[in-house]
Amino acid sequence: MIHTGRHFLQIPGPTNVPDRVLRAMDQPVIDHRGPEFAQLGMDVLEGMRSIFQTQSKVIIYPSSGTGACESALVNTLSPGDPVLIFETGQFSNIWLGIAQKLGLNVEYVPGNWRRGASPAEVEARLSADSQHNFKAVVVVHNETSTGAFSRIPEIRRVMNRLRHPALLIVDAISSLAAMDYRHDEWEVDVTVCGSQKGLMLPPGLGFNAVSEKALAAHKHARLPKSYWDWQEMLKHNQSGYFPYTPATNLLYALREAVVMLHEEGLPDVFRRHDRYGEATRAAVKAWDLEIVCEEPREYSSSMTAVLMPEGHNADALRKVILENFDMSLGAGLGKLSGRAFRIGHLGSFNDLMLAGTLSGVEMGLRLAGVPHRDGGVMAALQVLASAGQPAEVR
Ligand SMILES: Cc1ncc(COP(=O)(O)O)c(C=O)c1O
């Protein structure tokens, strides 16, 4: 089938790349050890501090998000260190796998893939650790496989109340620059991110935002590292350079994306995503389908995962939508494979793109014979056409 117009890329990352960012990348490659590069390096390192909302250091790797996860662990921990990881979905499973392969001693707190990490569980596990054996607590902020986020400020408050010295390591790969996230204010020690979601870039950059406490831990961390070593990176970054060849043209893109995010203003970026989340959930409820996240306080604003009615396969629905309407939706991951689909509503995105996205889903439900009620798109339009604030705020 020939498709015309733009493909709808509505997976929860990689997201649509704005034309401004594409044009910023479309430059001759420069000498990454020459004078022009240093300014670019300084600009993006400084710019990313403002996006993470930190005064501390940010590290930028030519890597995927998974690389930046590995980096957070190898730079702060030693072989056999006990770490607490919360099962929130497929991406916490990835953290578990990395930590185990690195030889860390993981306590994996079970979860039902429908909620964020429980602050009460953090309290229970850490208060039982009077010897302060745990060296790190790892939490996925926005669990991209379920659309449930973890309440990081509450988790930090529990850790502070217990005076537990473990590092707090947070994966903000699908929330940074889409949902409110404050590295310094929330006292996160390492925040991990990737370029291909809220930052509106193609895949290829990984980030660590690093607290002073994490830098201190780094000095004694004995897990082997070379490519990921913060020390080497920070030494070169002082003058705007990198210890190896950086992804030069992605850094041009990043510089432009940071400008765009500040033109809109981070609070407005977050409010915009909150509205998309609210409108999408209004559609799903009107269709009489079930949202995977079962805790309204933890609804993601960057994506929504939807459960299929019993006996209907999410991949069959996604195939119908791709073939008929040229729209990619996110697959169910891990144990939600075939049982759920995911609607990405983050990054370079607007009200009419969301209206089109939800129209594609509603038409797809009909074509694929999935039992549902009509009226989801109408319900979403009502949210989008209202005052511009999410219902909780109005
Ligand atoms: C929350 C989260 N963590 C980790 C990753 C892995 O990132 P990457 O696929 O860039 O390696 C993703 C990717 O979607 C993610 O959403």
Side-chain angles (χ1 to χ4, degrees), residues 109-131:
V109 183
N112 71 354
W113 289 45
R114 301 195 72 165
R115 308 180 68 131
S118 150
E121 276 288 345
V122 176
E123 174 138 29
R125 304 286 166 149
L126 292 188
S127 51
D129 178 34
S130 55
Q131 299 298 307

Side-chain angles (χ1 to χ4, degrees), residues 64-66 91 140 142 144 171 173-174 196-197:
S64 78
T66 307
F91 291 101
V140 177
N142 186 68
T144 325
D171 175 342
I173 290 181
S174 62
Q196 72 272 26
K197 308 210 185 222

